[in-house]
Amino acid sequence: MKSRFFKAALAVVSACTLMACSPEKENKPAAQGAATPTTQSATETAQQTKDENMNKLTLTAEWDKVFPKSDKVEHSKVTFKNHFGIELAADMFVPKDTSLKVNGKFPAIAVSGPFGAVKEQSSGLYAQQMAERGFLTIAFDPSFTGESGGEPRYMNSPDINTEDFMASVDFLSTRDNVDPERIGIIGICGWGGMAMNAAGIDTRVKATVASTMYDMSRVTANGYFDAANNADARNEARKTLMVQRTKDFKNGTYDLAGGVVDPLPNGAPYFVKDYYAYYKTPRGYHKRSLNSNKGWAASAGTSLMNTKLLAYADEIRNPVLIIHGEKAHSRYFGEGAFEKMTGKKANVPAKLDATKNWSKTVGNKELLVIPGASHVDLYDNLEKIPFEKLNEFFKTNLK
């Protein structure tokens, strides 16, 4: 595979431009006081909320998801603050079937991801699917992205984004219709690593799912497949980041790294084609999605270069389920996380039985591999995402 394709792919999953494409100079959000993107279609309507806790955000009133609305759940917009004072926007899905409550309360799940996506994409689909199965769910936009607050825009932080998950638990645990002892989280793609990091600190999280996960600190510091895992490569990467930071400060703007490469080059690796097929086509395109458009700020990967997300993964005591596709280029992140948690090698067979999922369990930690599935299949492919397995996992562990 040619290095330029790995550069383009890394621009999708990591704000760090150490190996990413050059910044798009024509698109510079203001460095101070930048606002959430406001590009809207002529028919789109937006509502400015009046509630004291929601008066800083403009939330879209219409259904603008990339998946159809379910008639089995009630949908609404909610907001809540994290400990950094950033207002987060979320879609909440409540089962219409009240018989699914136990003692008048639902178990609850917070969902986020993929890295560079918005709640109108994969996380909202997961949240709605789990609500159909009896869980009160929220899908939230992380800080600095989508409809959530935080400035400057299109930044990320392993600390703040871990806190985003914890803030979602704050919100859920204080709702009258949620049992605070039965709360779980789902992180998709890059937010799989964030979810596991949250599970490592937040003992209120009773069960965690990381689906088609990336360890964003690992890929940012080491490159894809750990190909740049050496001090010299990281030092050169740091130099590139610091040049970008100086430029941004001098200009009073933040260059953007670019989203999914478009148009798709001839000979692109299969996983770049997969990203394109989701983020750049009607299947998954959304106007607020970073990956669908101009991407993260080019200097946003600074803290990911200097932080190891899964440092305490081996101390997570509550159940964790890691799900990957057999053909996912990212599968090594999930295998590494499983090994970190359990001290046991994943040892996924070179070829799986196409008729059934493969799994390995150590204690209350499980790695599940879906035969034939790619990384992006677990974003929205209802034939590949094992929602009944997720249902079983959460119902077993949120009781």
Side-chain angles (χ1 to χ4, degrees):
M1 298 181 187
K2 297 181 179 179
S3 61
R4 65 191 177 102
F5 296 127
F6 286 102
K7 293 178 181 180
L10 190 57
V12 175
V13 299
S14 174
C16 180
T17 53
L18 326 178
M19 295 174 291
C21 58
S22 298
E24 300 197 17
K25 296 180 175 60
E26 75 278 9
N27 190 346
K28 299 180 179 180
Q32 285 83 29
T36 304
T38 56
T39 303
Q40 298 176 340
S41 66
T43 59
E44 182 178 17
T45 59
Q47 62 181 18
Q48 184 70 40
T49 57
K50 303 301 182 183
D51 184 273
E52 179 182 356
N53 197 41
M54 300 171 68
N55 60 7
K56 294 182 180 180
L57 303 181
T58 299
L59 305 180
T60 302
E62 69 177 11
W63 181 268
D64 63 347
K65 322 302 180 194
V66 301
F67 52 90
K69 189 174 184 178
S70 171
D71 60 3
K72 297 178 181 178
V73 303
E74 297 286 353
H75 165 261
S76 62
K77 291 285 186 77
V78 297
T79 68
F80 49 92
K81 286 185 178 180
N82 67 20
H83 276 195
F84 294 96
I86 299 171
E87 198 90 17
L88 302 182
D91 285 299
M92 183 166 67
F93 302 89
V94 181
K96 289 183 178 179
D97 185 354
T98 58
S99 69
L100 297 170
K101 291 182 178 180
V102 176
N103 297 324
K105 297 180 183 292
F106 289 109
I109 303 170
V111 192
S112 197
F115 197 80
V118 288
K119 63 188 182 304
E120 288 73 22
Q121 296 173 310
S122 183
S123 62
L125 173 65
Y126 272 67
Q128 182 172 264
Q129 285 284 327
M130 297 311 295
E132 288 184 344
R133 290 163 171 79
F135 302 88
L136 185 150
T137 64
I138 57 171
F140 65 87
D141 284 328
S143 296
F144 313 112
T145 67
E147 292 186 312
S148 286
E151 296 176 358
R153 305 302 294 169
Y154 316 132
M155 288 291 181
N156 62 73
S157 160
D159 185 15
I160 295 175
N161 295 140
T162 297
E163 163 60 27
D164 288 343
F165 261 118
M166 297 174 70
S168 73
V169 178
D170 294 340
F171 171 79
L172 290 172
S173 65
T174 55
R175 289 192 59 84
D176 290 340
N177 57 349
V178 168
D179 183 345
E181 297 301 318
R182 295 191 295 152
I183 295 176
I185 58 177
I186 299 174
I188 306 164
C189 186
W191 255 258
M194 303 295 179
M196 289 185 61
N197 205 42
I201 184 64
D202 195 333
T203 57
R204 300 170 301 173
V205 176
K206 304 305 182 186
T208 302
V209 168
S211 181
T212 197
M213 72 164 283
Y214 264 71
D215 177 345
M216 290 309 306
S217 56
R218 180 176 176 180
V219 71
T220 303
N222 299 352
Y224 270 107
F225 310 112
D226 299 325
N229 185 18
N230 62 80
D232 288 342
R234 276 188 287 275
N235 192 56
E236 290 305 309
R238 293 175 187 124
K239 289 179 181 178
T240 301
L241 265 178
M242 296 310 110
V243 168
Q244 184 65 51
R245 286 179 64 100
T246 301
K247 177 184 176 184
D248 288 346
F249 189 85
K250 183 183 298 184
N251 293 341
T253 60
Y254 289 92
D255 286 341
L256 299 184
V260 173
V261 60
D262 188 13
L264 189 65
N266 293 330
Y270 74 93
F271 64 92
V272 176
K273 294 178 181 178
D274 281 350
Y275 281 135
Y276 184 94
Y278 183 77
Y279 287 109
K280 288 293 188 176
T281 71
R283 171 186 168 192
Y285 175 85
H286 197 278
K287 62 191 173 188
R288 288 191 294 274
S289 168
L290 285 70
N291 293 341
S292 290
N293 296 288
K294 299 297 184 180
W296 293 96
S299 60
T302 304
S303 55
L304 284 169
M305 277 291 295
N306 208 38
T307 302
K308 290 189 177 180
L309 276 171
L310 303 182
Y312 295 103
D314 56 331
E315 297 183 11
I316 300 174
R317 296 191 176 185
N318 288 326
V320 176
L321 170 63
I322 298 174
I323 305 171
H324 263 290
E326 177 188 13
K327 297 182 178 179
H329 67 283
S330 54
R331 200 181 82 194
Y332 73 102
F333 294 120
E335 293 176 4
F338 179 81
E339 292 166 12
K340 172 69 174 176
M341 285 192 298
T342 65
K344 304 294 184 180
K345 289 287 186 181
N347 293 325
V348 180
K351 186 170 180 58
L352 302 184
D353 183 339
T355 65
K356 61 182 180 180
N357 297 336
W358 179 91
S359 70
K360 181 172 184 176
T361 301
V362 176
N364 60 3
K365 310 300 189 290
E366 181 178 358
L367 173 64
L368 179 70
V369 182
I370 313 300
S374 70
H375 177 84
V376 174
D377 277 335
L378 298 190
Y379 283 8
D380 68 339
N381 188 333
L382 298 181
E383 295 183 358
K384 298 290 187 180
I385 303 171
F387 278 117
E388 289 311 313
K389 171 66 175 182
L390 269 68
N391 184 41
E392 174 191 352
F393 173 78
F394 282 116
K395 285 190 173 174
T396 299
N397 295 298
L398 301 182
K399 62 181 182 180

